[in-house]
Amino acid sequence: HAHVFLATGAQLGKRLGVAVETRNMAFDGLIPALMLNQVDSAIAAISLTPERDTLVDFSSVYYGGADALLARNDATFQLTGLQDLANYQIGVQTGSVYEAWVRDTLISPGLLKPQYLHTYQTMNEALQALVSPEPPIALVMMDLPPAQTALLTQPVKMVAQGLNPQEYAIAIPQGAKTLQVQINTALKDMEGDGTLAALAANYLQVTQPLPLPTPAPTQPPATP
């Protein structure tokens, strides 16, 4: 799953005429790194949310994705609605939109006990917890493409999807308007010439990506 973001970043660097230096960081450290100017941009399945938008700026949306819920192959339960999730312990990645979704949609209304939410630094850690001999969780909520990969490599099955669709964008420091315009222009070109679709097909095996929203007009940066 990470390869598609590395390839997208490499394409952007090529089109912007800049060298790309990649840093592998913990997901929940990406926004703080941008706020501290430790990195110039972050691209790693970062969903555009109002909460994040108050901390950093974003490019236009470059990919629309969906979620999935995975359970062990030997699980016998079925999920028919949100109410069913109240009975099971759920694993998510720390700092992800799925952690926020579980808190806002399940815990805040009282559907799920707070202790039933388990957070992990990486999705691999969550999957390993799910398939361990004495699993502390019954479900893992994650992006659909890596979930589909997990179906091929782990003894898990998909029990639900599409509960929390996502729109992915590139995060940049607040006020980086010139960079924002340059990235948006490159993304528009990559969408128009089929590069984004080719990357999705090559790395995510997605032949029909979800339609992207029409980006709002971007104001040109003021002359210094």
Side-chain angles (χ1 to χ4, degrees):
H1 194 219
H3 294 307
V4 68
F5 301 114
L6 293 173
T8 303
Q11 274 286 336
L12 282 172
K14 180 180 179 180
R15 292 173 188 243
L16 296 180
V18 297
V20 176
E21 178 186 340
T22 303
R23 297 184 184 180
N24 188 6
M25 307 177 69
F27 186 83
D28 59 342
L30 292 175
I31 300 299
L34 283 167
M35 297 174 68
L36 295 172
N37 293 315
Q38 294 175 343
V39 294
D40 299 303
S41 63
I43 174 171
I46 301 177
S47 301
L48 202 167
T49 66
E51 294 78 14
R52 290 174 178 165
D53 201 29
T54 63
L55 303 174
V56 297
D57 287 340
F58 283 92
S59 72
S60 56
V61 174
Y62 66 88
Y63 186 76
D67 60 277
L69 277 166
L70 298 182
R72 294 165 61 98
N73 273 340
D74 55 8
T76 58
F77 59 82
Q78 293 183 338
L79 301 178
T80 59
L82 291 179
Q83 188 66 43
D84 295 334
L85 294 177
N87 302 317
Y88 305 106
Q89 312 225 18
I90 304 173
V92 296
Q93 186 174 30
T94 302
S96 68
V97 291
Y98 302 117
E99 178 184 1
W101 184 85
V102 171
R103 293 189 189 280
D104 295 341
T105 308
L106 301 177
I107 294 177
S108 292
L111 294 176
L112 186 75
K113 297 177 181 178
Q115 61 268 31
Y116 275 31
L117 174 62
H118 300 251
T119 59
Y120 300 88
Q121 279 297 111
T122 68
M123 286 314 310
N124 186 58
E125 291 178 12
L127 287 171
Q128 291 306 310
L130 180 66
V131 301
S132 63
E134 296 183 7
I137 54 177
L139 295 166
V140 169
M141 191 173 193
M142 61 194 299
D143 290 329
L144 179 59
Q148 292 172 323
T149 299
L151 295 177
L152 304 175
T153 60
Q154 300 287 346
V156 296
K157 61 183 178 181
M158 191 180 304
V159 291
Q161 70 177 82
L163 298 180
N164 186 23
Q166 301 302 316
E167 293 180 343
Y168 300 145
I170 299 170
I172 58 177
Q174 274 192 338
K177 298 302 181 185
T178 299
L179 178 61
Q180 185 182 51
V181 170
Q182 292 173 335
I183 289 178
N184 285 347
T185 299
L187 286 175
K188 183 178 180 181
D189 292 342
M190 290 169 66
E191 181 183 5
D193 64 19
T195 300
L196 288 180
L199 290 171
N202 186 32
Y203 292 100
L204 304 178
Q205 288 73 56
V206 174
T207 56
Q208 291 183 322
L210 298 179
L212 301 181
T214 302
T218 302
Q219 294 296 325
T223 302

